[in-house]
Amino acid sequence: HVQLVESGGGSVQAGGALRLSCAASGRIYSDYVMGWFRQFPGKQREAVATIDSSGRTVYADSMKGRFTIAFDNAEKILYLEMNNLNDEDTALYRCAASWGMSAMAALGRIAQDDFGYWGEGTQVTVS
């Protein structure tokens, strides 16, 4: 079982930046893949970025060049650095963990119910 706890959300003006963190505990498999997705008020989910155990990273198109994902394997903390935020980035950001797939494959599955483990999320509001 894996527990994921996000932090770092908040309110920021358009053009600003935030860094989200996700502390992972429990059993993290060696072939892990981790990532972020976001959830909008109508419950729609959108993949943001993923990183796998080989260090490969994949981003959704609208996040490329603005967001950076990283995983500190020693501390078991997943990060999401977000820059140049706009109001369309307002959402609940949730981290997720799974295993046995590449970062590319994970991006297409991370927001699905059967992906693996999810955290409760941290709210980001851009105005």
Side-chain angles (χ1 to χ4, degrees):
H1 191 68
V2 176
Q3 296 82 40
L4 302 168
V5 180
E6 302 93 334
S7 61
S11 297
V12 62
Q13 291 186 338
L18 282 174
R19 188 175 80 157
L20 307 183
S21 300
C22 173
S25 60
R27 186 170 184 177
I28 306 293
Y29 291 94
S30 60
D31 59 344
Y32 65 82
V33 60
M34 303 190 72
W36 295 88
F37 70 97
R38 58 192 186 184
Q39 190 165 345
F40 299 102
K43 302 298 184 183
Q44 178 189 357
R45 302 168 191 162
E46 179 182 40
V48 173
T50 54
I51 183 169
D52 62 27
S53 56
S54 295
R56 292 171 295 202
T57 59
V58 181
Y59 299 89
D61 287 345
S62 64
M63 287 66 161
K64 289 179 182 178
R66 299 191 302 128
F67 290 10
T68 302
I69 188 171
F71 182 57
D72 184 332
N73 199 5
E75 298 294 329
K76 298 293 188 286
I77 300 176
L78 180 70
Y79 296 101
L80 184 69
E81 188 79 34
M82 305 187 295
N83 296 296
N84 195 22
L85 289 162
N86 59 65
D87 57 0
E88 294 182 345
D89 295 316
T90 295
L92 181 69
Y93 284 72
R94 305 178 69 174
C95 70
S98 190
W99 58 93
M101 69 183 84
S102 69
M104 179 65 73
L107 193 70
R109 293 185 55 189
I110 191 170
Q112 297 177 5
D113 291 344
D114 62 349
F115 177 74
Y117 299 96
W118 293 352
E120 293 297 315
T122 184
Q123 179 67 36
V124 172
T125 302
V126 185
S127 59

